[in-house]
Amino acid sequence: MMMNHDQLSPGHMMHEAPSSPECTPALSRSAHAQNAAPTFFLSSFRAVKASRLQKRLDLNQACQQLAEWRENAAFHAGHVAPTIMGALPFGLSAQAELFIPTDIALTTREMFQADYGAETIEEPTLQSYHSDLSEARYCDLVIDVKKRMAHSDLRKLVLGRCARLRFSGPVHVPSVVRRLITQNQRDMVFQIPLRDGSILIGASPELLVRKTGAQFCCHPLAGSIPRSPDQAEDARRGQMLLSSAKDRDEHAIVIAQLRSQLSDLSRDLDIPDIPSLTRTATMWHLSTKLRGSIRDPKMSALDLARLIHPTAALCGAPKDLAFRTISALEPSGRGLFAGLVGWSDARGDGEWVVTIRSGIIKGAEAQLFSGAGILPGSNPEAEWREIEAKLGTMRRALGLEPDKM
């Protein structure tokens, strides 16, 4: 199993063992088909592959199940503990997509990629593309948000839009997944079958929380700029982002919110004074790694994730006002987009990432989402270019040119 400097504790071995007992439209299939759909979560910390669905859970049921498992059972080191996987929505009061797999295995990214092979098939062609916000309308909303900031306590708002794509035939999900894995080597790749028959897939660069034992790590991203294929220009853009006052302010709001949320929950909270640069295949981001120890040994990774989600990197600040403003301005509703994907096990360990650079696929249809952090100093046209660039991850995975729809 893969290990790197981000890993918080040693001792996880590869074993296979059974586990124990509104941007999303109404896209249903039989329980048998749901159980047949593969589920996986790949990161540098752990690569988890699950099959067959034992039971679906809401968020409260999942947290209760994890507490019961941890209270009533002991797990041998090196063996897979009973695990809950799935996805949480942007608004936690909405329906979660959490479940207990019947079978779960720890693998590696390389082994998983090899399982997909190198099969090529004829790709369906894109027939239609619709964004729920045009460029002009999005820019108007950015101006609206800036006016609200001038007359309220709103300091930051993440403004998103949803795109819907229709192809000439069913999207071949294994091909999309293969591209996600090969094109996004640094990112966390996932595939989650949903109860309505659609499939959530993506390659997220943003870790909300990873927990093992008492140790946890958060790696939020806030402040972004599109990358360039020209090496010199790409390096210049990274340095420009690092010195951007607007982006540094945006990032500082995210870190201040997390500091406030985590200080009472943790010991030895370590937060670097200045952000670092993180890159994906399409974007440069400002990032900060926060590390600490949880005070309450009974708190699971899922418990911690639900307490800090959504962060200002996904929502805004102050959180409640930003959440209400997003609900009023975004036309489609986010559903699972800008939510969380990951796993938590009976030991309390787990890993939850932000559901960005992702899509929901069913048959010949795909839905994508992207957003940008709006501040008083935001330029509307630049924010539009940012959300267009952020769609590049899924455009490439769908076999489309990243900047042409």
Side-chain angles (χ1 to χ4, degrees):
M1 186 168 140
M2 292 177 295
M3 305 289 183
N4 76 353
H5 64 279
D6 288 336
Q7 183 164 330
L8 301 179
S9 72
H12 292 284
M13 298 169 59
M14 266 199 305
H15 290 274
E16 183 167 351
S19 65
S20 302
E22 294 121 308
C23 196
T24 312
L27 289 171
S28 103
R29 65 178 167 180
S30 68
H32 174 76
Q34 289 185 31
N35 284 338
T39 300
F40 68 83
F41 179 93
L42 308 180
S43 78
S44 59
F45 174 68
R46 179 175 288 185
V48 184
K49 184 176 181 180
S51 60
R52 295 191 294 162
L53 183 154
Q54 182 185 131
K55 183 180 181 181
R56 288 193 178 273
L57 304 166
D58 64 27
L59 177 54
N60 289 332
Q61 290 170 335
C63 290
Q64 182 178 355
Q65 180 66 83
L66 289 168
E68 291 177 358
W69 279 340
R70 195 167 188 189
E71 183 73 23
N72 298 326
F75 308 102
H76 299 293
H79 287 271
V80 181
T83 299
I84 290 171
M85 297 183 70
L88 296 173
F90 172 67
L92 293 182
S93 61
Q95 186 179 65
E97 293 278 355
L98 300 171
F99 54 89
I100 304 172
T102 299
D103 299 296
I104 192 165
L106 305 189
T107 180
T108 67
R109 193 183 190 106
E110 292 77 15
M111 291 172 64
F112 190 92
Q113 188 170 342
D115 287 344
Y116 268 78
E119 176 191 5
T120 58
I121 64 170
E122 184 178 351
E123 298 286 352
T125 58
L126 180 66
Q127 289 191 323
S128 66
Y129 172 82
H130 172 74
S131 173
D132 63 359
L133 291 173
S134 66
E135 179 178 0
R137 179 57 180 152
Y138 187 87
C139 290
D140 285 345
L141 286 178
V142 172
I143 295 170
D144 183 340
V145 170
K146 293 172 66 173
K147 290 178 179 177
R148 291 170 185 252
M149 290 175 174
H151 298 94
S152 73
D153 294 330
L154 189 63
R155 299 173 57 211
K156 175 188 175 181
L157 184 91
V158 178
L159 183 63
R161 60 81 177 257
C162 186
R164 302 175 189 275
L165 291 71
R166 177 175 287 276
F167 293 83
S168 59
V171 176
H172 190 242
V173 174
S175 293
V176 178
V177 170
R178 189 182 304 113
R179 293 190 194 102
L180 282 173
I181 295 172
T182 57
Q183 295 171 2
N184 303 277
Q185 293 290 332
R186 296 170 176 266
D187 301 332
M188 294 153 283
V189 183
F190 52 84
Q191 176 173 312
I192 307 292
L194 307 179
R195 68 182 75 220
D196 67 3
S198 55
I199 299 175
L200 173 66
I201 62 174
S204 176
E206 184 166 358
L207 173 70
L208 179 75
V209 64
R210 176 185 299 137
K211 179 180 178 291
T212 179
Q215 304 299 307
F216 72 87
C217 174
C218 303
H219 193 190
L221 310 179
S224 308
I225 192 171
R227 297 191 63 188
S228 170
D230 179 83
Q231 186 173 0
E233 171 61 15
D234 189 49
R236 187 190 72 82
R237 290 187 184 185
Q239 291 306 307
M240 185 168 65
L241 176 64
L242 198 58
S243 61
S244 165
K246 178 263 180 186
D247 291 286
R248 293 286 286 264
D249 287 346
E250 178 182 350
H251 193 80
I253 290 171
V254 174
I255 300 306
Q257 184 188 84
L258 282 169
R259 185 192 302 273
S260 175
Q261 292 171 317
L262 293 169
S263 292
D264 291 339
L265 298 174
S266 61
R267 297 187 301 269
D268 306 320
L269 184 61
D270 178 38
I271 304 177
D273 293 331
I274 59 174
S276 302
L277 281 175
T278 291
R279 67 181 185 269
T280 70
T282 59
M283 303 293 297
W284 284 105
H285 297 283
L286 294 181
S287 69
T288 298
K289 291 183 180 179
L290 299 82
R291 301 178 187 273
S293 303
I294 291 295
R295 293 182 183 275
D296 182 359
K298 295 182 179 180
M299 181 175 286
S300 71
L302 182 57
D303 292 324
L304 182 56
R306 76 183 297 186
L307 285 175
I308 61 179
H309 173 74
T311 69
L314 294 174
C315 183
K319 181 188 291 190
D320 290 345
L321 177 57
F323 191 94
R324 293 195 303 270
T325 306
I326 288 168
S327 298
L329 296 183
E330 291 184 3
S332 296
R334 295 187 178 183
L336 294 174
F337 292 126
L340 302 176
V341 174
W343 59 273
S344 285
D345 69 18
R347 294 186 178 94
D349 296 347
E351 193 169 20
W352 294 91
V353 303
V354 175
T355 315
I356 55 175
R357 318 300 147 80
S358 60
I360 295 176
I361 296 174
K362 186 176 185 184
E365 297 183 353
Q367 301 167 65
L368 312 179
F369 175 86
S370 61
I374 311 304
L375 273 74
S378 289
N379 176 279
E381 290 74 21
E383 302 298 350
W384 175 262
R385 290 193 296 271
E386 179 176 323
I387 64 170
E388 280 286 284
K390 287 175 176 176
L391 290 181
T393 298
M394 284 303 301
R395 286 173 173 165
R396 284 190 174 97
L398 288 164
L400 304 170
E401 293 186 53
D403 57 350
K404 295 180 182 179
M405 281 294 200

